[in-house]
Amino acid sequence: MKRTSAALVPPISLDRRGTCPIYRQLYDWFRSAITEGRMRPGQRVPSTRSMAAELQISRISVFNAYEQLHSEGYLETFAGSGTSVARTIPDDALGFLPTHKRKGLQGAIAKPGRRKVSARASILLKLPSEPWLRNLGPFRVSLPALDQFPVEIWSKLVVRHSRKLSRASMAYGDVMGYLPFREAVAEYLSTFRGVRCDASQILITTGSQQALQISAQVLLDPKDQVVMEEPGYPGARVAFTAAGAELIPVPADSEGIVVPEINRRGRHARVAYVTPSHQYPLGMTMSAARRMSLLQWAAHSDAWIIEDDYDSEYRFASRPIASLQGLDVHGRVIYVGTFSKVLFPALRLGYMVVPKDLLPAFSAARDAADIFSSTLFQAALTDFIADGHFARHIRRMRMLYMDRREALVCAIQSQMGRNLEVIGDEAGMHLVALLPPGMSDVSVSKHAAQNGISAMPLSSCYLKAPKRGGLILGYGGVDPRQIQDGIRKLKISVHRHAVV
Amino acid sequence: MKRTSAALVPPISLDRRGTCPIYRQLYDWFRSAITEGRMRPGQRVPSTRSMAAELQISRISVFNAYEQLHSEGYLETFAGSGTSVARTIPDDALGFLPTHKRKGLQGAIAKPGRRKVSARASILLKLPSEPWLRNLGPFRVSLPALDQFPVEIWSKLVVRHSRKLSRASMAYGDVMGYLPFREAVAEYLSTFRGVRCDASQILITTGSQQALQISAQVLLDPKDQVVMEEPGYPGARVAFTAAGAELIPVPADSEGIVVPEINRRGRHARVAYVTPSHQYPLGMTMSAARRMSLLQWAAHSDAWIIEDDYDSEYRFASRPIASLQGLDVHGRVIYVGTFSKVLFPALRLGYMVVPKDLLPAFSAARDAADIFSSTLFQAALTDFIADGHFARHIRRMRMLYMDRREALVCAIQSQMGRNLEVIGDEAGMHLVALLPPGMSDVSVSKHAAQNGISAMPLSSCYLKAPKRGGLILGYGGVDPRQIQDGIRKLKISVHRHAVV
């Protein structure tokens, strides 16, 4: 009798018709009451019998709720003294006191809204972002012709591998990637890109961004210098910034990055990031002389070259340019490629070719980052390559993109020849159209986005202020009709910003 | 005539029967000759006519080869003086000189084999790794019952989404994840894990490892301190080490991490990494009192808690323990979970719940790391959850793992009760069996691996030397027969190491 009176049954309202079981509602009520300070450490709780009677519920429900509260340490039982709120619950647990008791202590708690994150995260947050470009409208950069992808063939392969999911293909896979896939990639790169490698050097990634992130992780310590082409690829800038590196812009001219400038501005750089086959974004090819000087610089400076060969499959006026990596006899080049542009981005498959002595470090960094890439798509893509679909798709897309580029250049010249100047080689999936001097490419880009156009401002590729603005126009994912229509819309935005 | 004599046709051997086109062989020969210094800058090349005549090949082939060499900058043509090796090729290009000329310069080039990588990569390479555990044999930790996964149902969903690949599902997806999937995850976590969140706070990752890597990136600068449970999860250690953080081991007892020790050893720590539902690897549950003290510590110290809820779905003796995150009123907890253990690892899908004010930083870090997760599996899993297969599978696995745990405990007790002491709650997919004092768990583990057993040494979870060795035995992926057989094999390894 005494026990029951010592622990009056609290006013618990139960929802008897809801989907939440009674014992759970009881558990929840006690947990909140304890953590919010409505029940104090040491305070008695009613017996299961009295609780059940008072609340008109089954004693089993009460028992189950108490059991759970016990096992989580909210309640404790001492022989002879019944069950009470655990005394180990800290009495002054901040945030668990009733609000009126917390007041005086609030000052000690850091204010939300301006809480400290890491220095590198703070810098990342300050990088320019173009949220208005997130639409999939005309001229979206890096978007291939998704409607031309052989979805039927691909899905057949996915289905085939999905139905016979083996233990090995469901479990943890190889950090470096699925071996047959790495062999296929090595063969492709040796034959078509002039890369010197074997399958042991291939590290499969979830795309080129991860390849850059891992490279930054392995090659760079915070404050280390990285040479970037100016203008250059914003994704690389993000990856190196995230690693805490210092970026050194070195101009790129018609022959690619100006190597003598590296010696002047970035003498102590640990890494140079370049796009020799098709400079991003301007579109020229790095000359043989520059390639050799760059390799020489790296060998002399104990530095590394990251070669990003993001869309080299597509050259229209000449044959594909062989990779810089293939010229390197000192193992100074980390070669990076992706299937996002030749197939589709949501595949999340890319690759890198790593100098052999660096393989343990790259493998460890991939393991630390996210362990391995999904096996299913690697297996399906191995078949896709082996069956010849890959080569066939590239050939078809090369013709298609050549036509689309021509259509875009024509549309620009006929509709806005006075205002846009096209630059870059006949290659890839995008071109750069320079705006008249003095016109803000960010303003034009923002305005165009209101009409559903995704035209990336050239200035977002510069670390320093550019001399002249421009628009990076992707033509991979737009058909001729969309090109005509898109340029008409773009014209409105450019004219609006024209100096009167 | 003079031109032809000035440029003798070099001794080029062509493979006329091979698959490589003639022009390509010619191009390759010239490129090698130039880059290896056999042809010097300014040196004349034969005319297309004389080359074709001499080599008995078509003039078109020669023309195509020259065209390509031109476009890549290896050759140049001046009106009136014919074609020659480009003078811009640096004469002293190191590595491009014939070997005998290079000798004196070799010293200037860093020796391969001990080339410098970043400090954090060097530390990563020094972490203990257990290459002998890479087999999928009995007791492999973290491996679910793959043969029990409803492959038919799953592959039907994959097929459904694979066949109707939309433009949106092939293009770049949302950095935070596929929205319907995030909504499903938020609902699951709120209902079943007591997590306070909405879909906007869910960040889909490629698994819990990536969640840890991104958290480290956002919350930690190099040299920042992280509190780790001792013993603790090696994957977390790798992620924080890769970020350059300093790890502070704080002992875990039967109630979980000893919070007063945090104040003593890790007062300035920025982050505490904990596994409250089921301590990894020892298997106990963090008590309510410790939970509140830990939250209090974080709020007072302006620090963060990373709650890794890796296998909380599986509790056998009591109901699942609600998350620590749900108790936190200060937004100090980053909650991490994964589908690798409830479904299968090669899915590469995990998630984190991020305090709202940190969302921009976490989103930026994910973007920098690898942009987004493959859409197809997110869409298929959304259906898998909505159709009730997910809850059904968890329920089935809970029963299965409970039986398997019991079978394992029985087998240990009956076969090696004197040598192995089982610890930990009745939960999860693994248990820890302590070895007799003085026995090296690494030696036992290595020996057992020779018999196809994957028994992880407990010592690999310690930052400091452990008092007593043990084996972490996963029972998720082994049936009762394999358990019996595995323990028999393990017995041999343990007996071999027994102190005589």
Side-chain angles (χ1 to χ4, degrees):
Chain A
M1 284 305 286
K2 202 178 173 226
R3 198 175 297 166
T4 317
S5 67
L8 289 170
V9 174
I12 304 173
S13 66
L14 298 168
D15 175 6
R16 281 153 215 272
R17 290 192 198 156
T19 52
C20 186
I22 294 296
Y23 88 88
R24 180 80 208 187
Q25 295 183 46
L26 214 52
Y27 162 82
D28 285 342
W29 187 91
F30 271 101
R31 201 170 72 113
S32 305
I34 294 167
T35 58
E36 289 164 13
R38 281 178 282 132
M39 293 192 79
R40 317 292 313 153
Q43 184 178 343
R44 288 269 178 84
V45 298
S47 70
T48 53
R49 186 188 301 270
S50 59
M51 276 289 276
E54 185 88 8
L55 296 172
Q56 294 191 295
I57 55 179
S58 96
R59 211 170 143 191
I60 294 289
S61 297
V62 184
F63 185 79
N64 283 344
Y66 279 18
E67 185 84 344
Q68 180 79 1
L69 290 161
H70 253 113
S71 76
E72 296 186 15
Y74 290 102
L75 298 183
E76 60 189 7
T77 303
F78 292 105
S81 64
T83 299
S84 54
V85 176
R87 283 176 186 79
T88 50
I89 304 276
D91 199 27
D92 62 342
L94 252 178
F96 312 107
L97 295 178
T99 320
H100 66 274
K101 289 205 182 176
R102 266 187 250 159
K103 269 185 193 158
L105 297 161
Q106 279 290 33
I109 299 170
K111 295 268 192 316
R114 43 178 192 135
R115 302 193 291 181
K116 199 187 154 207
V117 295
S118 69
R120 50 193 166 194
S122 307
I123 298 171
L124 264 192
L125 285 171
K126 283 181 203 136
L127 290 186
S129 70
E130 293 91 16
W132 65 90
L133 291 178
R134 283 191 196 140
N135 67 76
L136 294 177
F139 311 131
R140 166 91 181 223
V141 173
S142 303
L143 207 60
L146 298 173
D147 55 334
Q148 298 292 316
F149 183 75
V151 170
E152 285 241 340
I153 292 169
W154 173 251
S155 73
K156 255 182 209 155
L157 294 173
V158 169
V159 169
R160 187 197 296 169
H161 286 277
S162 191
R163 288 225 174 104
K164 55 159 197 192
L165 273 184
S166 67
R167 192 171 147 80
S169 70
M170 293 172 79
Y172 285 92
D174 190 328
V175 169
M176 297 292 291
Y178 176 60
L179 188 58
F181 183 50
R182 293 164 66 200
E183 286 166 348
V185 170
E187 195 184 309
Y188 167 69
L189 293 179
S190 308
T191 313
F192 293 102
R193 305 294 310 121
V195 172
R196 296 188 203 200
C197 66
D198 56 52
S200 76
Q201 294 172 266
I202 307 289
L203 169 55
I204 302 299
T205 64
T206 57
S208 60
Q209 188 64 33
Q210 188 179 52
L212 298 178
Q213 183 247 322
I214 293 174
S215 302
Q217 178 76 23
V218 172
L219 304 176
L220 297 168
D221 280 309
K223 312 281 179 218
D224 275 354
Q225 291 185 341
V226 177
V227 163
M228 289 276 298
E229 296 165 330
E230 175 86 332
Y233 176 52
R237 178 187 190 174
V238 166
F240 300 132
T241 302
E246 187 192 326
L247 306 185
I248 311 286
V250 168
D253 63 17
S254 62
E255 287 188 67
I257 195 165
V258 182
V259 180
E261 283 294 304
I262 297 182
N263 288 317
R264 218 169 59 79
R265 305 188 191 192
R267 189 178 311 193
H268 303 294
R270 302 274 314 129
V271 167
Y273 168 84
V274 290
T275 48
S277 297
H278 189 221
Q279 204 274 336
Y280 192 96
L282 298 180
M284 58 280 187
T285 306
M286 192 184 292
S287 71
R290 289 278 172 82
R291 283 167 192 247
M292 289 186 219
S293 309
L294 185 62
L295 290 169
Q296 190 178 349
W297 165 80
H300 270 300
S301 326
D302 191 14
W304 306 98
I305 297 166
I306 299 175
E307 174 179 22
D308 191 346
D309 214 22
Y310 62 102
D311 72 356
S312 57
E313 285 82 3
Y314 301 130
R315 290 198 76 78
F316 315 130
S318 62
R319 298 206 15 95
I321 308 290
S323 69
L324 176 66
Q325 195 267 8
L327 287 176
D328 173 27
V329 294
H330 297 299
R332 284 285 160 192
V333 177
I334 288 93
Y335 178 91
V336 170
T338 179
F339 288 103
S340 294
K341 286 164 191 69
V342 281
L343 301 177
F344 59 93
L347 252 189
R348 304 320 293 130
L349 285 175
Y351 48 84
M352 53 200 311
V353 181
V354 179
K356 287 195 176 174
D357 63 319
L358 295 190
L359 282 169
F362 273 82
S363 165
R366 173 66 201 266
D367 191 39
D370 67 347
I371 313 182
F372 75 113
S373 283
S374 177
T375 314
L376 180 69
F377 285 160
Q378 295 187 64
L381 190 43
T382 307
D383 289 356
F384 191 79
I385 295 172
D387 297 351
H389 303 299
F390 183 63
R392 211 166 299 135
H393 184 61
I394 290 181
R395 277 200 300 275
R396 275 189 60 224
M397 291 306 102
R398 191 178 287 140
M399 300 303 292
L400 187 82
Y401 295 155
M402 185 166 75
D403 290 348
R404 289 186 172 183
R405 185 180 197 280
E406 207 176 299
L408 176 56
V409 172
C410 273
I412 291 172
Q413 282 170 350
S414 69
Q415 290 192 52
M416 23 186 349
R418 280 188 313 156
N419 280 321
L420 286 184
E421 181 191 337
V422 173
I423 58 172
D425 286 3
E426 292 179 26
M429 289 163 51
H430 72 262
L431 55 75
V432 168
L434 295 177
L435 288 166
M439 194 183 287
S440 156
D441 52 12
V442 171
S443 297
V444 172
S445 169
K446 278 185 182 168
H447 189 269
Q450 291 170 15
N451 286 320
I453 303 294
S454 181
M456 188 171 164
L458 177 60
S459 59
S460 63
C461 297
Y462 279 84
L463 290 167
K464 299 189 170 173
K467 281 193 204 123
R468 196 167 154 191
L471 300 172
I472 311 178
L473 303 177
Y475 48 79
V478 280
D479 64 30
R481 195 190 48 73
Q482 291 166 319
I483 288 174
Q484 287 295 337
D485 187 51
I487 288 298
R488 241 191 314 275
K489 286 180 178 159
L490 202 53
K491 190 177 178 181
I492 298 168
S493 301
V494 172
H495 278 189
R496 225 189 117 98
H497 288 80
V499 187
V500 187
Chain B
M1 282 308 282
K2 204 179 168 225
R3 197 177 296 165
T4 317
S5 68
L8 289 169
V9 173
I12 304 174
S13 66
L14 298 170
D15 174 8
R16 281 155 216 274
R17 290 192 197 155
T19 52
C20 185
I22 294 296
Y23 89 89
R24 181 77 207 190
Q25 296 185 44
L26 213 54
Y27 161 83
D28 285 343
W29 188 92
F30 270 102
R31 202 171 73 112
S32 304
I34 294 167
T35 58
E36 289 162 12
R38 282 177 281 132
M39 293 193 78
R40 318 289 315 151
Q43 184 179 345
R44 287 271 178 80
V45 299
S47 70
T48 54
R49 185 187 303 269
S50 58
M51 277 288 277
E54 187 86 9
L55 297 173
Q56 294 191 294
I57 56 177
S58 97
R59 213 171 143 192
I60 293 290
S61 295
V62 185
F63 185 81
N64 282 344
Y66 279 19
E67 185 83 346
Q68 180 79 3
L69 290 161
H70 254 111
S71 77
E72 295 187 16
Y74 291 103
L75 299 183
E76 60 189 4
T77 303
F78 291 105
S81 63
T83 298
S84 53
V85 176
R87 283 175 185 79
T88 49
I89 304 274
D91 200 27
D92 61 341
L94 252 178
F96 313 107
L97 294 177
T99 319
H100 67 274
K101 290 205 180 175
R102 263 189 253 159
K103 270 184 191 156
L105 296 162
Q106 280 291 34
I109 297 172
K111 294 265 192 318
R114 42 176 192 133
R115 303 194 293 181
K116 198 187 153 206
V117 296
S118 68
R120 51 192 164 194
S122 308
I123 298 172
L124 265 192
L125 285 171
K126 280 180 207 137
L127 290 186
S129 71
E130 294 91 17
W132 66 89
L133 290 179
R134 287 200 190 128
N135 67 74
L136 294 179
F139 311 132
R140 165 92 180 224
V141 173
S142 303
L143 208 60
L146 298 174
D147 56 334
Q148 298 292 316
F149 183 74
V151 171
E152 285 240 341
I153 292 169
W154 173 250
S155 71
K156 255 183 210 158
L157 294 174
V158 169
V159 169
R160 186 198 295 169
H161 286 276
S162 191
R163 288 228 171 102
K164 55 157 198 194
L165 272 185
S166 67
R167 192 170 148 79
S169 70
M170 295 172 78
Y172 286 92
D174 191 327
V175 168
M176 297 292 291
Y178 177 60
L179 187 59
F181 183 49
R182 293 164 64 201
E183 286 166 348
V185 171
E187 195 184 308
Y188 166 68
L189 293 178
S190 308
T191 313
F192 294 102
R193 304 293 310 119
V195 173
R196 296 188 202 199
C197 66
D198 57 53
S200 75
Q201 294 172 266
I202 307 289
L203 170 54
I204 301 300
T205 64
T206 58
S208 60
Q209 188 65 32
Q210 187 179 53
L212 299 178
Q213 183 246 322
I214 293 175
S215 301
Q217 177 76 24
V218 172
L219 304 177
L220 297 168
D221 280 309
K223 313 278 178 218
D224 276 354
Q225 292 185 343
V226 177
V227 164
M228 288 277 297
E229 295 164 331
E230 175 86 332
Y233 177 53
R237 177 186 190 174
V238 165
F240 300 132
T241 302
E246 189 193 326
L247 305 187
I248 311 286
V250 169
D253 63 18
S254 61
E255 286 189 69
I257 194 163
V258 182
V259 180
E261 283 294 303
I262 298 181
N263 288 319
R264 219 169 57 80
R265 305 187 193 194
R267 187 178 311 194
H268 303 295
R270 301 275 312 128
V271 167
Y273 169 84
V274 289
T275 49
S277 297
H278 189 222
Q279 204 274 338
Y280 192 96
L282 298 182
M284 59 281 189
T285 305
M286 192 183 294
S287 70
R290 290 278 172 83
R291 284 168 193 245
M292 288 186 221
S293 308
L294 185 62
L295 290 169
Q296 189 178 353
W297 165 79
H300 269 301
S301 327
D302 192 13
W304 305 98
I305 297 165
I306 299 176
E307 174 180 22
D308 191 345
D309 214 21
Y310 62 102
D311 72 358
S312 57
E313 285 82 2
Y314 302 129
R315 290 199 77 80
F316 314 132
S318 62
R319 297 207 12 98
I321 307 290
S323 68
L324 176 66
Q325 195 268 10
L327 287 177
D328 172 29
V329 294
H330 296 300
R332 285 283 159 195
V333 177
I334 288 94
Y335 178 91
V336 169
T338 179
F339 288 103
S340 295
K341 286 165 191 70
V342 279
L343 301 178
F344 59 93
L347 252 189
R348 304 319 293 129
L349 285 176
Y351 48 83
M352 54 202 307
V353 181
V354 179
K356 287 195 175 174
D357 62 320
L358 297 189
L359 282 169
F362 273 81
S363 164
R366 173 67 201 267
D367 191 39
D370 67 347
I371 313 183
F372 74 113
S373 283
S374 179
T375 314
L376 180 70
F377 284 160
Q378 295 187 63
L381 190 42
T382 308
D383 289 356
F384 191 79
I385 295 171
D387 296 352
H389 303 300
F390 182 65
R392 211 166 299 136
H393 184 61
I394 290 181
R395 276 199 301 271
R396 274 189 61 223
M397 291 306 102
R398 192 177 288 142
M399 299 305 290
L400 187 81
Y401 296 155
M402 186 166 75
D403 290 348
R404 290 186 171 182
R405 185 180 197 278
E406 207 176 300
L408 177 56
V409 172
C410 272
I412 291 173
Q413 283 170 350
S414 68
Q415 290 194 51
M416 16 184 357
R418 279 190 315 156
N419 281 319
L420 287 185
E421 180 191 336
V422 173
I423 58 172
D425 286 2
E426 293 179 26
M429 290 163 50
H430 71 261
L431 55 76
V432 168
L434 294 177
L435 287 166
M439 193 181 289
S440 156
D441 52 11
V442 171
S443 298
V444 172
S445 168
K446 278 185 181 167
H447 188 269
Q450 291 169 18
N451 287 321
I453 302 295
S454 182
M456 187 170 165
L458 177 61
S459 59
S460 63
C461 296
Y462 279 84
L463 290 168
K464 299 190 170 172
K467 281 192 206 127
R468 193 165 157 196
L471 299 171
I472 310 176
L473 303 177
Y475 49 79
V478 280
D479 63 31
R481 196 190 47 75
Q482 291 166 320
I483 287 174
Q484 287 295 338
D485 187 51
I487 289 298
R488 243 191 312 276
K489 287 178 178 160
L490 202 54
K491 190 177 177 181
I492 299 167
S493 302
V494 172
H495 278 189
R496 224 188 118 97
H497 288 81
V499 186
V500 187

